[in-house]
Amino acid sequence: MIEKYDPTAIESKWYETWEQKGYFKPNGENRESYCIMIPPPNVTGTLHMGHAFQDTIMDTLIRYQRMQGKNTLWQPGTDHAGIATQMVVERQLNAQGTSRTELGRDAFMEKVWQWKQQSGDTITNQLRRLGASPDWSRERFTMDKGMSNAVLKVFVDLYNEGLIYRGQRLVNWDPTLNTALSDLEVESHEEKGHMWHFSYPVADKDGQATEKTLTIATTRPETLLGDTAVAVNPSDERFNHLIGQHVLLPICNRLIPIVGDEHADPDKGTGCVKITPAHDFNDYEVGQRHHLPMINILNKDGTLNNEVPNDYRGMTRQQARQAVVDKMRELGLLKTIKDHVLMVPRGDRSGDVIEPLLTDQWYVDAKTLAKPAIKAVENGDIKFVPDNWKNTYYAWMRDIQDWCISRQLWWGHRIPAWYDENNTIYVGLSESDVRNKHDLDDDVKLRQESDVLDTWFSSALWPFATLDWPQNSDALKDFYPGNVLVTGFDIIFFWVARMIMMGIKFMDEVPFKEVYIHGLVRDSHGQKMSKSKGNVLDPLDLIDGISLEELIAKRTRGLMQDQPDKVNHIKKQTIEDFPDGIKAYGCDALRFTFASLASTGRDINFDMGRVEGYRNFCNKIFNAARFVLMNCEDFDISVKKSYAPSTAERWIISRLQHCIADYRKHLDSYRLDLASQVIYDFFWNEYCDWFLEMAKPLLKTEQKPHVQYTLLTVLDQALRLLHPIMPFLTEEIWQAVAEKLTLGSQSIMISAFPSANAKKIDTEADSEIQWLKQLTLSVRQIRSEMNIAPGKKLTVLLSDYNDKDAHNVDRHQELINTMARLDGIELLPKNSQEPPSATGLIGTTKVLIPLAGLIDKNEEMQRIAKNMAKVEQEIKRAEGKLNNEKFTAKAPDSVVKAEREKLQQNQTALKELEEQRTKLEQL
């Protein structure tokens, strides 16, 4: 072992060893299999804290199952991330003075593949730094040959069954990227805008405008040009008599009907709603119910098309908005304009306002595929952890709409459809397949569909396509279905549900048995981490450390010139949160932090204080191991044959069994937070703080060989428990321990995971050592309260004791003296006078420390009074601040919270000082 704990010195060394020796690969054909599929990260950059959190959970589970001898596979891979990746490469081309259209499709695709190679390598290297142990030899990419073949087969099979079709519907359209988007790629935020109130003249029987008008309210005046109806509620007595009549649409001078529909809420707005079926999702549904025409007024780039009056053609949406408002004002039909805060949908990549647009797209009949997927959860074939997430799943799946799977991009799986000159559609695995299937000779000209498939289409096949499907491979037989999917709640519908649908459809079996839903990682203030907020943390920065200057530069990169206000805000927040930058904590401390925060389903606020604490825990483990190994240099394994543990040893062995049982129970139920707390408490409190201290005097007796064996075997078991969460430190130490115990295994990661042995639970030893601990803690508390030096030897008296107390004193006198630092412990005869003493309790037994000659009462009273005055002053200061409304309203929440915590700490300190004074007064 190295002399000082240094994560950098051990992490790369052991990872290379594990990978070279093939420990990450499935380890046996005839054993029970266990499989986790990695949610494939996008090849658009680097891993973030959410990835690191999720990957820590998965790696902990896979290492835990591997150590139980199971045939484990953690399947790695990456996603091609259509829009995101295409945008990255397009920006690079733009910076070089060219574009994808200038390059052409084939040359552009080559550029994207080059980027994928670079970014994909970055991600896999980061995963290695995080200690992830997937089978790298099976790494997959959603655009590699095997995955592409699977995508083609699924598309063709679904099309042939009538479950994929081409149709015209409303989609989320990004006018900048010129493509349809999924709901997950649209971000809606509150923005300041306006609500315009327009009057529409009611028409008479001859179609002429009357003096009567209906007032509608809209936040998008330009869509007036595409209106095909006005809706009122059938129960609204103000307007229901008008149902069936018409209004004359201003500017367009087009008669449109007044329809009765529940969509119009009498209690909202004017009670009358303009209906634009081709440019609003709710209006589309109204249009379907009333068979209204759909007038698309927009080109793909967001400009107005030839469906609008001549004066508005070619205008941008913003220009058309102003022109419509001006015209309505001129016509005397603009009633009022009100300020209004509204939710504006924007593309998460382009930032442009998303338009509902009527376009021809490819769709999957999701309703048909959803039925067996719903049933799989209802009958328990798939379980959600926590269970309540199944309700979210049901809500989405029972109201599912057909899935738009086409994207107007170049990067992605090109849809395997071809058109002839009459636009007849042919679908097949390739053009030659299409020609053979439909007997088309070379005279028939075919052009392939230019659209590509939604990224979620290929990732929906991930659980079986990565296992070489459609081949009936050994991997598919062994590892489908997987055991658990580990993912965030935000993609239950977009990914989880679609994998379930596709898995059942093509494998006749669910893709996984459990879905563990974890929370999202937020910053210390509870804010979502995002580049725009400048609060992103790079997990590798916590492993390796980063200076304040480098961190600020990293967070503000790309913002320096055009967003000075945002740059200053990010700088200020970064300096406040990390005044000294981030020091190197190492991978094990970061992983243990993630595990400690992994309570099921809840979002977590990432606390740097925890990382610091668990870095200290790593150091504690290392130093404890150094102590054990230094005191076991002359250890002889032959003692195992005659092993006879003392009470203290029996106690730590017994406590270990409880620890193992609880730890395994928590890991089996995905409560990594509880498991990490169990092993932390055992190792720090019971093994280090108590057993190592008890071992010190025992190592000086004839019991030494037995104590050495106990020290080593308990350390061995504790390290194995820790290994799934802390792989590097445990391997480093375990190698030295394994050599002493001649364990034989080459690595801790393939050694057996501990199982609790009920026969080693020793209630007698538990009881006796618990009593010794209570006595020691009681003495320590009295020392602290009475300001008696920790090293000062004392004599302790026991009063009102019972036979058990007397037995413990007699049996463990030397151990008690060592642990509590006593000269001796005496049993005060029954009914005898107690000397003036500081007193503690063990149940009803009194622990007495005679104070004669130990302290100067007057001097001690003066010290307490002085300390009380300081604490009272601090309390007064804090209360003054917290009672000041200006302070609580303007100061950052973190500052106010810190002030409240200081007040509480000082109030507790004052109470303790008052108790000490009272005790002294009684002497």
Side-chain angles (χ1 to χ4, degrees):
M1 268 180 66
I2 54 177
E3 293 186 4
K4 185 180 179 183
Y5 176 52
D6 178 6
T8 307
I10 63 174
E11 289 175 7
S12 60
K13 172 184 74 174
W14 284 118
Y15 197 91
E16 288 172 11
T17 300
W18 296 330
E19 192 171 357
Q20 287 170 3
K21 294 195 174 181
Y23 293 153
F24 301 161
K25 295 182 179 181
N27 54 12
E29 295 180 0
N30 300 317
R31 302 179 182 181
E32 180 184 352
S33 293
Y34 185 90
C35 177
I36 298 178
M37 291 283 166
I38 197 170
N42 295 341
V43 287
T44 49
T46 59
L47 298 182
H48 53 62
M49 290 291 278
H51 289 124
F53 175 53
Q54 181 172 266
D55 293 333
T56 295
I57 293 170
M58 287 185 283
D59 193 50
T60 297
L61 295 174
I62 210 77
R63 286 177 181 272
Y64 170 53
Q65 298 294 339
R66 186 185 287 126
M67 291 177 73
Q68 293 184 71
K70 292 182 183 175
N71 187 30
T72 55
L73 171 66
W74 183 14
Q75 174 64 52
T78 48
D79 193 290
H80 65 277
I83 292 176
T85 304
Q86 180 161 316
M87 279 192 68
V88 169
V89 178
E90 283 200 67
R91 285 198 197 104
Q92 293 173 349
L93 293 176
N94 293 339
Q96 296 165 13
T98 185
S99 68
R100 71 179 166 99
T101 52
E102 286 184 28
L103 282 180
R105 187 162 191 153
D106 292 342
F108 176 74
M109 292 292 279
E110 287 181 20
K111 293 286 187 183
V112 184
W113 276 105
Q114 290 170 13
W115 163 255
K116 179 267 168 187
Q117 194 62 44
Q118 173 189 336
S119 182
D121 287 348
T122 299
I123 288 170
T124 55
N125 288 335
Q126 284 181 304
L127 278 168
R128 286 175 165 88
R129 292 296 315 283
L130 289 166
S133 60
D135 180 2
W136 291 113
S137 69
R138 293 198 56 83
E139 186 177 359
R140 297 290 185 265
F141 175 54
T142 50
M143 288 276 287
D144 66 24
K145 186 176 179 181
M147 286 289 295
S148 295
N149 289 339
V151 168
L152 288 173
K153 177 172 172 52
V154 166
F155 187 97
V156 172
D157 286 359
L158 290 177
Y159 180 82
N160 290 338
E161 288 186 50
L163 295 174
I164 282 182
Y165 63 93
R166 185 164 170 80
Q168 191 177 70
R169 291 190 174 197
L170 276 193
V171 295
N172 296 311
W173 186 264
D174 189 317
T176 296
L177 299 178
N178 284 320
T179 183
L181 300 181
S182 71
D183 290 343
L184 193 65
E185 293 160 325
V186 178
E187 295 180 344
S188 294
H189 300 286
E190 280 191 354
E191 296 183 20
K192 291 180 180 179
H194 298 91
M195 181 75 78
W196 288 269
H197 289 243
F198 294 147
S199 294
Y200 286 9
V202 176
D204 61 19
K205 293 181 180 178
D206 297 323
Q208 300 299 311
T210 66
E211 292 184 1
K212 183 174 180 58
T213 61
L214 291 182
T215 300
I216 60 92
T218 181
T219 60
R220 302 167 69 211
E222 68 279 8
T223 62
L224 173 154
L225 304 173
D227 285 357
T228 57
V230 171
V232 298
N233 195 293
S235 66
D236 192 335
E237 295 180 357
R238 296 173 296 171
F239 308 114
N240 56 11
H241 64 284
L242 297 173
I243 294 172
Q245 297 186 37
H246 291 77
V247 296
L248 189 63
L249 182 65
I251 302 177
C252 298
N253 294 319
R254 189 171 66 242
L255 283 174
I256 59 175
I258 301 169
V259 300
D261 197 279
E262 297 292 336
H263 174 60
D265 188 341
D267 298 323
K268 285 185 178 180
T270 66
C272 303
V273 181
K274 65 188 285 297
I275 303 299
T276 320
H279 295 287
D280 183 277
F281 288 103
N282 290 322
D283 292 4
Y284 177 84
E285 297 299 328
V286 176
Q288 293 293 297
R289 289 195 287 271
H290 297 278
H291 308 290
L292 299 174
M294 297 195 199
I295 302 176
N296 174 24
I297 64 170
L298 293 178
N299 295 310
K300 299 291 177 67
D301 63 358
T303 58
L304 273 66
N305 62 21
N306 292 338
E307 293 292 333
V308 301
N310 286 336
D311 291 347
Y312 301 90
R313 294 175 184 176
M315 285 185 177
T316 65
R317 290 168 290 172
Q318 202 59 42
Q319 290 169 340
R321 175 172 298 182
Q322 190 59 51
V324 167
V325 172
D326 291 344
K327 187 63 177 178
M328 292 296 279
R329 183 183 287 112
E330 179 188 324
L331 294 171
L333 298 175
L334 172 61
K335 294 199 68 174
T336 185
I337 303 173
K338 296 180 180 180
D339 290 338
H340 182 70
V341 176
L342 67 158
M343 298 299 290
V344 177
R346 292 185 180 273
D348 65 346
R349 301 292 174 183
S350 68
D352 198 357
V353 176
I354 296 304
E355 288 291 342
L357 194 67
L358 196 63
T359 60
D360 290 312
Q361 303 284 348
W362 291 87
Y363 290 89
V364 169
D365 177 359
K367 285 186 174 67
T368 299
L369 294 177
K371 290 174 184 176
I374 294 169
K375 187 177 179 182
V377 176
E378 287 176 337
N379 64 21
D381 290 342
I382 297 176
K383 294 180 180 177
F384 279 85
V385 181
D387 183 64
N388 61 288
W389 284 111
K390 71 183 181 187
N391 298 322
T392 300
Y393 174 82
Y394 289 147
W396 282 333
M397 294 291 277
R398 288 169 180 164
D399 191 36
I400 197 169
Q401 303 299 311
D402 282 1
W403 172 16
C404 176
I405 56 172
S406 47
R407 297 291 181 268
Q408 289 66 52
L409 304 170
W410 285 358
W411 173 242
H413 293 100
R414 196 165 176 180
I415 290 174
W418 284 261
Y419 302 87
D420 63 18
E421 292 176 324
N422 297 317
N423 285 327
T424 303
I425 298 174
Y426 305 95
V427 169
L429 298 174
S430 64
E431 183 176 339
S432 60
D433 179 44
V434 164
R435 290 185 181 277
N436 291 333
K437 191 185 300 181
H438 297 279
D439 197 22
L440 303 174
D441 59 34
D442 291 342
D443 292 336
V444 178
K445 293 182 179 179
L446 296 178
R447 72 181 190 280
Q448 188 176 354
E449 170 67 75
S450 60
D451 288 357
V452 300
L453 288 165
D454 176 13
T455 303
W456 297 106
F457 189 89
S458 51
S459 54
L461 318 182
W462 191 251
F464 55 92
T466 52
L467 299 174
D468 311 320
W469 184 90
Q471 298 176 45
N472 189 24
S473 66
D474 290 338
L476 196 63
K477 294 173 188 174
D478 288 343
F479 299 113
Y480 189 94
N483 293 75
V484 61
L485 177 74
V486 179
T487 188
F489 64 83
D490 52 334
I491 54 173
I492 289 176
F493 176 68
F494 293 98
W495 189 45
V496 178
R498 288 165 178 172
M499 283 192 288
I500 296 172
M501 289 191 285
M502 292 298 194
I504 293 173
K505 176 65 180 172
F506 287 95
M507 296 296 297
D508 293 322
E509 196 171 1
V510 296
F512 29 72
K513 298 162 190 172
E514 292 182 299
V515 181
Y516 168 53
I517 302 294
H518 59 73
L520 304 182
V521 181
R522 299 182 179 273
D523 70 11
S524 59
H525 306 287
Q527 297 293 311
K528 184 178 179 180
M529 291 189 187
S530 69
K531 290 180 181 178
S532 61
K533 291 179 181 176
N535 62 349
V536 169
L537 283 173
D538 183 335
L540 296 195
D541 288 342
L542 276 76
I543 293 174
D544 299 328
I546 186 171
S547 70
L548 177 61
E549 292 74 18
E550 290 174 312
L551 184 58
I552 290 173
K554 197 172 188 177
R555 288 181 161 189
T556 57
R557 193 169 294 138
L559 303 175
M560 298 304 294
Q561 295 179 352
D562 57 342
Q563 294 173 292
D565 290 341
K566 181 175 280 190
V567 168
N568 290 332
H569 172 73
I570 291 171
K571 280 183 178 178
K572 182 180 177 183
Q573 189 65 61
T574 304
I575 292 169
E576 183 180 317
D577 291 342
F578 307 102
D580 301 315
I582 300 174
K583 70 180 185 181
Y585 293 105
C587 182
D588 288 317
L590 178 61
R591 285 173 60 115
F592 202 87
T593 304
F594 282 134
S596 74
L597 293 168
S599 56
T600 48
R602 291 204 306 253
D603 285 359
I604 63 173
N605 295 353
F606 193 80
D607 180 6
M608 292 298 296
R610 284 212 187 206
V611 194
E612 180 78 38
Y614 294 132
R615 174 60 168 77
N616 294 339
F617 181 43
C618 291
N619 212 49
K620 183 88 168 179
I621 295 167
F622 185 86
N623 290 337
R626 293 265 316 158
F627 169 84
V628 170
L629 292 167
M630 285 171 62
N631 282 279
C632 293
E633 288 180 351
D634 59 346
F635 173 69
D636 185 348
I637 190 62
S638 65
V639 72
K640 183 178 179 180
K641 298 175 182 177
S642 58
Y643 180 54
S646 64
T647 303
E649 294 165 81
R650 286 163 38 219
W651 167 76
I652 195 63
I653 293 167
S654 179
R655 296 309 306 156
L656 176 63
Q657 309 317 306
H658 290 290
C659 174
I660 293 170
D662 290 343
Y663 188 83
R664 292 185 68 126
K665 177 184 72 176
H666 295 320
L667 276 191
D668 288 339
S669 58
Y670 307 109
R671 290 304 303 267
L672 273 70
D673 55 331
L674 300 181
S676 60
Q677 189 60 51
V678 164
I679 189 61
Y680 179 92
D681 288 342
F682 173 79
F683 207 105
W684 190 300
N685 298 327
E686 295 181 317
Y687 186 71
C688 293
D689 285 358
W690 288 103
F691 182 65
L692 293 191
E693 293 305 310
M694 289 187 276
K696 288 175 183 176
L698 293 172
L699 284 167
K700 297 173 184 177
T701 68
E702 59 185 16
Q703 186 66 19
K704 178 180 177 179
H706 305 273
V707 176
Q708 288 176 322
Y709 183 68
T710 305
L711 284 167
L712 288 166
T713 53
V714 174
L715 179 57
D716 162 48
Q717 296 288 289
L719 290 171
R720 295 185 197 215
L721 292 176
L722 272 166
H723 178 74
I725 305 176
M726 280 186 177
F728 296 110
L729 176 60
T730 51
E731 181 75 272
E732 176 73 14
I733 297 171
W734 187 85
Q735 290 292 327
V737 173
E739 185 179 351
K740 290 287 182 186
L741 292 172
T742 61
L743 295 176
S745 179
Q746 291 184 317
S747 170
I748 190 173
M749 72 175 291
I750 56 171
S751 61
F753 198 81
S755 295
N757 184 343
K759 294 179 181 178
K760 292 183 179 180
I761 294 177
D762 193 323
T763 55
E764 180 184 39
D766 283 350
S767 175
E768 291 184 15
I769 298 302
Q770 180 62 22
W771 181 91
L772 184 149
K773 288 170 64 180
Q774 288 178 315
L775 173 64
T776 303
L777 291 172
S778 182
V779 172
R780 288 175 183 173
Q781 184 176 359
I782 293 170
R783 284 183 186 272
S784 175
E785 290 176 353
M786 295 294 105
N787 200 31
I788 301 169
K792 189 173 182 66
K793 294 286 186 176
L794 304 173
T795 297
V796 166
L797 306 177
L798 293 188
S799 176
D800 298 337
Y801 55 87
N802 55 33
D803 291 344
K804 178 184 172 185
D805 299 329
H807 167 80
N808 287 337
V809 170
D810 179 61
R811 186 168 183 181
H812 303 296
Q813 178 77 243
E814 289 303 316
L815 198 52
I816 293 168
N817 289 346
T818 301
M819 296 299 294
R821 297 184 181 177
L822 304 179
D823 272 334
I825 182 168
E826 299 176 10
L827 302 175
L828 198 64
K830 304 287 185 181
N831 302 318
S832 60
Q833 183 68 34
E834 296 177 2
S837 306
T839 306
L841 288 173
I842 305 176
T844 58
T845 304
K846 289 183 183 177
V847 179
L848 306 174
I849 296 181
L851 294 176
L854 275 179
I855 62 171
D856 183 314
K857 180 177 178 179
N858 291 333
E859 185 181 308
E860 190 62 19
M861 289 291 282
Q862 289 174 14
R863 184 188 67 82
I864 290 173
K866 187 176 179 181
N867 287 343
M868 286 177 68
K870 284 182 182 178
V871 173
E872 286 168 346
Q873 186 63 33
E874 276 298 304
I875 290 172
K876 185 178 179 182
R877 183 199 62 77
E879 287 177 338
K881 260 191 169 185
L882 293 169
N883 290 332
N884 184 338
E885 290 184 5
K886 289 183 179 179
F887 171 74
T888 55
K890 293 184 178 180
D893 291 344
S894 58
V895 174
V896 176
K897 181 183 176 184
E899 201 61 54
R900 286 202 176 100
E901 288 173 352
K902 282 182 194 173
L903 175 60
Q904 191 173 15
Q905 289 166 3
N906 281 310
Q907 287 171 335
T908 301
L910 182 61
K911 185 178 179 182
E912 291 174 352
L913 287 166
E914 287 170 345
E915 290 173 355
Q916 291 176 29
R917 182 178 64 184
T918 301
K919 286 183 179 180
L920 276 173
E921 287 172 346
Q922 294 170 354
L923 293 179

